[in-house]
Amino acid sequence: MRQSTETVFVDTSLGRIAGLRRDGVCRFRGVPFAEAPVGALRFCPPRRKTPWTGTLEAFEPGVIAPQLASRLLAVMGDFTRRQSEDCLRLDIVTPGVDDARRPVVVWLHGGGFSSGAGGLDWYDGGLLAGEGDVVVVGVNYRLGALGYLVAPGISDGNLGLLDQALALRVVRDIVAGFGGDPDNITLMGQSAGGNSIAALFAGGHPMKGVRRAIMQSAALGMRPQDSVRARALGADFVSELGGDPDKPDETRVKLAELPVSAILGAQAAVARRHARFGDTAPPFQLVQASAGLSDTIAFDHAAADAMTGIDVLIGVTADEADAFFALDPRAGELDASAVAELVGELYGPRGVGALDLMARRNGDIAPGALLSAVVTQDVFVEPAIAFACRRAADGGKAYVYEFGWHPAGSPLGACHCLELPFVFGPAQAWGDAPMLAGADPVEIAELSATMRAAWLNFVRTGDPAAAKLPTWPIFTAGRKNAMRLDRRSAIRDLAGDPC
């Protein structure tokens, strides 16, 4: 049966916005929250959007931040969307434009600070909004060098983080018109998005109205770069474009006039030169002691300490790093000594200790698979446990999960990003995702419904209890209770250092 479409209007402090009501929810797509960071505003902190006159028609999919192909294209699949620097926009989905004051979910997408967008069809908030009676807001922020370049006198870095902070302030200002409660916000992010949630709290950005945080595969072990390395990468980038790092005024003008294609080309060249196999960190990302992020203590510790009164749902997938290594032929060519050398170089004595332990426990596992297991543990699992421990020690409420489901026989296992179709729902956009190849659609639909219920219950009450899950206890220092989300979900202890 054909669904009717109705135009709906919301008056905000930015101006009047027109959206479309269809399938039981209202969508407003590509709503600008900041001025276009172009020309002289390129590499500058974001500026709040000047109110417009007339009505903004937010009907069509918005543009996304300029970006190169995703590193995980072979895992998640591909997407096509028009790119533009005028990308600082919101996608808003709500059950109704009324005064219901629904809980608000602000979604920060992943993509290694280099790819993705908050309004991709992958992240359509329609199911969450309709089933949970919540408002879902997807955020675009600047990526790659345009968002995270550090070059003194040209860019202070962390501009993508500042974009997110401004977006959160704007959402709080306007969301009541979309039926949302500005004093009941849940920040939800995956990978770089989850990492960004930690950075927003650690950086002391205004978090008024935020009650809860959902941090999926936040890669807290991938800490922000130190400023020395970030400046070296920035100087290389500037030189690649024919600029002089020692002449920032002149170079800033030059870079402002370059086409986006040149910026992306230089970004790719720098990434190739500095790539290190086994290292999951991108060249342009969050930087410690830079704009919007202090250098007091480790950012994840600072974040946990700053989240007093914030309910936390945090978790990982069981085989996170298989997304980076399982399909890479270089991993299959490694022998035990090469893996040990690589782990020692990238992850230090702690990583070597984990490698030795895993090798003893899994004598028949291939060296490349051992590398993946160490990275999963070092970058994702143990930092998530430590974060939950720190919250628990401070009397905070945290729930921890491990997503273990995967298609039978998949070489990718329960890899990074695999939980996303289950959180947002198995939409058509995920139809060609290699990580789901061979999966039973009924299994996906059933587990997705359970997870959506859990996530929505957490958003609404701070407790992810759901009908088809066993009792989900609060994480404590004495017993590291985690919900294993799988065909048969169960409570288990995650392996990691004691709290």
Side-chain angles (χ1 to χ4, degrees):
M1 181 172 143
R2 193 168 185 178
Q3 295 286 332
S4 61
T5 300
E6 174 192 0
T7 302
V8 291
F9 300 90
V10 175
D11 291 308
T12 74
S13 57
L14 292 174
R16 191 167 221 222
I17 308 172
L20 297 176
R21 184 194 303 274
R22 183 180 173 87
D23 300 327
V25 295
C26 307
R27 286 182 171 84
F28 301 81
R29 312 191 73 171
V31 177
F33 65 87
E35 297 294 340
V38 298
L41 294 183
R42 182 184 276 174
F43 298 121
C44 289
R47 297 185 184 180
R48 186 183 174 110
K49 181 70 177 177
T50 301
W52 54 79
T53 57
T55 300
L56 174 76
E57 294 186 343
F59 301 152
E60 302 296 329
V63 298
I64 66 175
Q67 57 193 269
L68 300 163
S70 167
R71 295 185 299 171
L72 298 184
L73 186 151
V75 174
M76 300 175 70
D78 204 359
F79 58 86
T80 302
R81 187 69 70 82
R82 187 168 67 88
Q83 300 182 13
S84 168
E85 285 184 270
D86 189 8
C87 62
L88 301 183
R89 296 170 180 262
L90 308 171
D91 272 50
I92 305 169
V93 186
T94 178
V97 287
D98 49 32
D99 58 359
R101 294 184 72 85
R102 300 172 178 86
V104 178
V105 178
V106 176
W107 166 247
L108 301 180
H109 69 86
F113 302 101
S114 305
S115 64
L120 293 179
D121 292 342
W122 285 339
Y123 310 132
D124 182 89
L127 275 178
L128 291 174
E131 293 176 355
D133 196 31
V134 300
V135 180
V136 181
V137 183
V139 177
N140 284 358
Y141 54 94
R142 280 173 284 182
L143 302 169
L146 288 168
Y148 296 92
L149 171 71
V150 174
I154 300 169
S155 173
D156 291 333
N158 292 346
L159 299 178
L161 182 68
L162 300 183
D163 294 341
Q164 295 165 355
L166 176 58
L168 185 57
R169 295 197 298 272
V170 171
V171 167
R172 192 173 189 282
D173 288 347
I174 70 173
V175 79
F178 297 88
D181 183 352
D183 293 317
N184 188 4
I185 295 172
T186 296
L187 279 180
M188 181 168 80
Q190 185 264 351
S191 194
N195 203 283
S196 295
I197 291 174
L200 286 166
F201 278 98
H205 296 276
M207 294 287 113
K208 188 176 181 182
V210 176
R211 291 188 187 179
R212 301 181 179 97
I214 301 176
M215 302 166 71
Q216 301 172 199
S217 301
L220 295 175
M222 189 186 78
R223 292 177 171 81
Q225 285 182 347
D226 66 78
S227 57
V228 174
R229 175 169 169 78
R231 290 186 181 200
L233 289 167
D236 192 13
F237 174 84
V238 168
S239 298
E240 178 71 23
L241 289 170
D244 186 344
D246 295 324
K247 297 179 180 179
D249 293 338
E250 175 185 314
T251 299
R252 186 173 60 250
V253 173
K254 177 182 178 67
L255 266 57
E257 297 172 347
L258 291 174
V260 171
S261 58
I263 300 292
L264 293 178
Q267 178 182 314
V270 171
R272 285 192 298 269
R273 279 197 290 272
H274 295 271
R276 297 180 295 177
F277 178 71
D279 187 1
T280 59
F284 298 101
Q285 58 146 319
L286 293 169
V287 178
Q288 201 81 29
S290 187
L293 191 58
S294 66
D295 192 25
T296 49
I297 60 175
F299 93 118
D300 51 336
H301 291 178
D305 294 346
M307 295 177 80
T308 300
I310 304 295
D311 300 330
V312 175
L313 174 61
I314 186 169
V316 298
T317 67
D319 307 300
E320 294 273 9
D322 281 3
F324 303 97
F325 303 123
L327 302 181
D328 192 326
R330 293 175 295 178
E333 297 168 356
L334 294 171
D335 60 21
S337 61
V339 170
E341 182 179 350
L342 193 59
V343 168
E345 177 187 347
L346 295 176
Y347 301 101
R350 181 185 177 92
V352 172
L355 177 65
D356 291 341
L357 179 61
M358 290 178 185
R360 289 197 300 272
R361 289 178 176 174
N362 306 278
D364 57 345
I365 192 170
L370 273 176
L371 170 64
S372 183
V374 169
V375 174
T376 294
Q377 195 73 8
D378 191 86
V379 176
F380 296 95
V381 177
E382 290 194 358
I385 293 171
F387 193 92
C389 284
R390 202 169 178 96
R391 292 299 306 122
D394 193 35
K397 188 167 68 169
Y399 294 90
V400 179
Y401 71 88
E402 178 189 54
F403 184 84
W405 179 95
H406 60 83
S410 172
L412 293 165
C415 68
H416 192 60
C417 298
L418 186 58
E419 90 286 6
L420 290 170
F422 295 81
V423 172
F424 287 93
Q428 184 177 352
W430 293 105
D432 295 326
M435 63 187 182
L436 293 174
D440 181 349
V442 175
E443 279 189 5
I444 295 176
E446 289 179 350
L447 183 54
S448 176
T450 298
M451 286 182 62
R452 292 198 308 274
W455 263 235
L456 286 167
N457 285 338
F458 178 79
V459 167
R460 298 189 65 82
T461 70
D463 184 342
K468 293 188 177 181
L469 292 176
T471 301
W472 193 334
I474 296 173
F475 186 94
T476 64
R479 182 171 172 80
K480 293 169 286 187
N481 298 302
M483 178 66 72
R484 167 87 176 193
L485 295 161
D486 207 332
R487 290 171 178 85
R488 294 188 63 183
S489 298
I491 297 298
R492 58 160 296 192
D493 257 8
L494 277 180
D497 287 347
C499 291

